[in-house]
């Protein structure tokens, strides 16, 4: 915001309260109430306002207090945000970032445990990225703000407490590039967001059992980095996808289709996909855990793939 006076933030409680997860803490004091705008509880209205602001030259960052609430703005995100550059014949660009906390938290109930990446992936004209570390959260956010395209940035409610030393100098992360988390030889594990940590926990067990998994955080949910993914598939010949998204119509399903279409000849075994169960996320903690992929399931899936 210091670098570019066109950047502004809007959303519920983003101002003096500092955001529901304190992402915008201190910004209202520093940049004023107009650049850090507290909005009413009306997602369709302030998302539409953000899109209009982007059309007229600003670079708004719109926060959904919880990503599930952005379903109320689905019309604005799909019919306006994604399509206006095309339907205006290129007269308008929509340099907007839509971001917020989502995913399965700790007993937040079904409505507050949404994974909206599956909802938004079919909208033409929109890029989607998911951060998983403090380093890539900052790098992806800065890249998204500077992009001329509308970008949806998915943050996970359980990752806000992560700490990491990040560079003082300016840097950005490529919005269309996956991250190689752990090189390996036996199987390619594709994951993103919070599931990265479940996979890395499983990887320790797998290494002790003699397996050498390659772990890739895909980060870019749309478009996929098929260059990085393809090179890994050509090396390991086996693929396991681990996601928190729903199984039906999720990111994993799209990844399976892309890999099968482009790299089927390199596969020595069918692609496996571990996803959340197709049920509303229960409030009860024990049941909630059962709906989400756990490290033990990842270990069992790799053992099955590498038989």
């Amino acid at each position: 915001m210091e670098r570019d006076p066109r950047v502004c933030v809007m959303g519920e409680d983003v101002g003096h309260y500092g955001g529901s997860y304190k992402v915008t803490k201190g910004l209202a004091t520093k940049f004023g109430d107009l650049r850090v705008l507290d909005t009413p509880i009306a997602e369709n209205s302030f998302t539409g306002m953000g899109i209009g602001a982007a059309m007229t030259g600003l670079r708004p960052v719109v926060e959904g207090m919880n990503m599930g609430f952005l379903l109320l703005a689905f019309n604005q995100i799909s019919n306006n945000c994604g399509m206006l550059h095309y339907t205006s014949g290129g007269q308008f660009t929509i340099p907007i970032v839509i971001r917020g906390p989502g995913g399965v938290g700790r007993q937040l109930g079904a409505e507050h445990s949404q994974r909206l990446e599956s909802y938004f992936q079919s909208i033409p004209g929109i890029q989607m990225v998911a951060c998983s570390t403090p380093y890539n959260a900052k790098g992806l956010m800065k890249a998204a703000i500077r992009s001329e395209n509308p970008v949806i940035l998915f943050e996970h409610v359980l990752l806000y407490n992560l700490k990491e030393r990040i560079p003082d100098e300016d840097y950005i992360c490529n919005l269309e590039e996956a991250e190689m988390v752990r090189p390996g030889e036996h199987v390619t594990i594709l994951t993103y967001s919070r599931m990265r940590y479940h996979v890395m926990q499983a990887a320790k067990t797998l290494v002790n059992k003699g397996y050498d998994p390659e772990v890739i955080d895909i980060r870019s949910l749309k478009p996929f980095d098929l260059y990085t993914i393809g090179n890994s598939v050509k090396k390991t010949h086996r693929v396991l996808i681990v996601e928190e998204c729903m199984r039906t119509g999720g990111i994993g399903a799209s990844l399976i289709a892309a890999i099968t279409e482009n790299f089927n000849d390199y596969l020595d075994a069918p692609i496996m996909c571990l996803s959340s169960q197709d049920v509303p996320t229960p409030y009860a903690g024990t049941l909630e855990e059962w709906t989400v992929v756990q490290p033990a399931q990842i270990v069992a899936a790799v053992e099955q793939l590498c038989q």
Side-chain angles (χ1 to χ4, degrees):
M1 292 179 77
E2 287 178 337
R3 176 182 175 274
D4 189 343
R6 297 172 298 172
V7 178
C8 56
V9 180
M10 57 186 73
E12 297 148 350
D13 286 336
V14 298
H16 294 279
Y17 185 70
S20 56
Y21 289 88
K22 302 304 176 188
V23 174
T24 54
K25 184 179 179 181
L27 292 184
T29 305
K30 190 170 187 178
F31 296 105
D33 293 345
L34 282 179
R35 287 189 70 189
V36 186
L37 185 64
D38 273 324
T39 64
I41 303 174
E43 284 77 12
N44 56 349
S45 300
F46 68 74
T47 305
M49 178 173 67
I51 294 164
M55 291 171 67
T56 55
L58 296 181
R59 290 183 174 269
V61 179
V62 174
E63 175 179 312
M65 182 186 283
N66 181 283
M67 288 302 260
F69 302 157
L70 289 178
L71 288 173
L72 295 163
F74 197 91
N75 175 63
Q76 284 75 13
I77 294 170
S78 58
N79 284 333
N80 302 146
C81 186
M83 298 185 191
L84 267 169
H85 180 64
Y86 175 80
T87 55
S88 69
Q91 294 180 77
F92 296 110
T93 54
I94 319 293
I96 189 174
V97 179
I98 298 171
R99 52 152 296 272
V104 179
R106 290 275 186 268
Q107 294 184 260
L108 297 178
E111 293 170 352
H112 288 66
S113 302
Q114 297 271 29
R115 286 129 288 175
L116 293 193
E117 53 266 37
S118 60
Y119 291 67
F120 291 135
Q121 67 173 330
S122 61
I123 300 173
I126 282 180
Q127 283 187 274
M128 303 196 311
V129 290
C131 58
S132 53
T133 68
Y135 178 86
N136 68 38
K138 180 180 179 181
L140 291 171
M141 170 74 83
K142 291 171 85 80
I145 290 171
R146 296 176 192 182
S147 172
E148 295 301 320
N149 300 311
V151 179
I152 302 178
L153 175 63
F154 293 93
E155 301 161 13
H156 198 287
V157 290
L158 294 182
L159 299 185
Y160 285 121
N161 59 348
L162 292 177
K163 292 183 179 180
E164 179 185 14
R165 189 173 295 279
I166 58 176
D168 292 328
E169 62 270 13
D170 191 29
Y171 72 92
I172 60 171
C173 295
N174 192 323
L175 291 174
E176 300 178 15
E177 194 173 90
E179 178 188 349
M180 178 66 69
V181 182
R182 182 192 188 280
E185 298 290 336
H186 292 162
V187 59
T188 297
I189 305 180
L190 303 174
T191 189
Y192 65 93
S193 192
R194 178 197 173 201
M195 283 296 118
R196 168 178 175 150
Y197 297 94
H198 281 209
V199 168
M200 291 308 292
Q201 190 176 331
K204 293 177 184 176
T205 305
L206 288 166
V207 169
N208 291 335
K209 292 189 172 196
Y211 297 100
D212 186 18
E214 179 151 292
V215 179
I216 295 175
D217 183 343
I218 62 172
R219 291 200 309 203
S220 175
L221 307 184
K222 184 183 180 184
F224 296 133
D225 178 6
L226 290 179
Y227 177 79
T228 301
I229 293 168
N231 283 341
S232 181
V233 173
K234 291 172 186 176
K235 178 172 64 171
T236 67
H237 309 292
R238 290 174 174 82
V239 178
L240 172 64
I241 299 165
V242 181
E243 62 175 352
E244 198 180 79
C245 202
M246 297 297 188
R247 183 165 188 82
T248 302
I251 297 297
S254 297
L255 261 177
I256 291 172
I259 294 168
T260 303
E261 189 175 316
N262 292 281
F263 310 110
N264 190 54
D265 289 348
Y266 296 97
L267 293 171
D268 288 345
I271 301 169
M272 290 186 69
C273 183
L274 298 177
S275 313
S276 294
Q277 295 183 37
D278 284 335
V279 296
T281 304
Y283 173 74
T286 311
L287 292 176
E288 183 181 64
E289 276 189 27
W290 275 95
T291 67
V292 178
V293 180
Q294 299 299 328
Q297 294 170 269
I298 301 168
V299 172
V302 170
E303 289 177 328
Q304 183 181 334
L305 261 177
C306 293
Q307 279 178 354

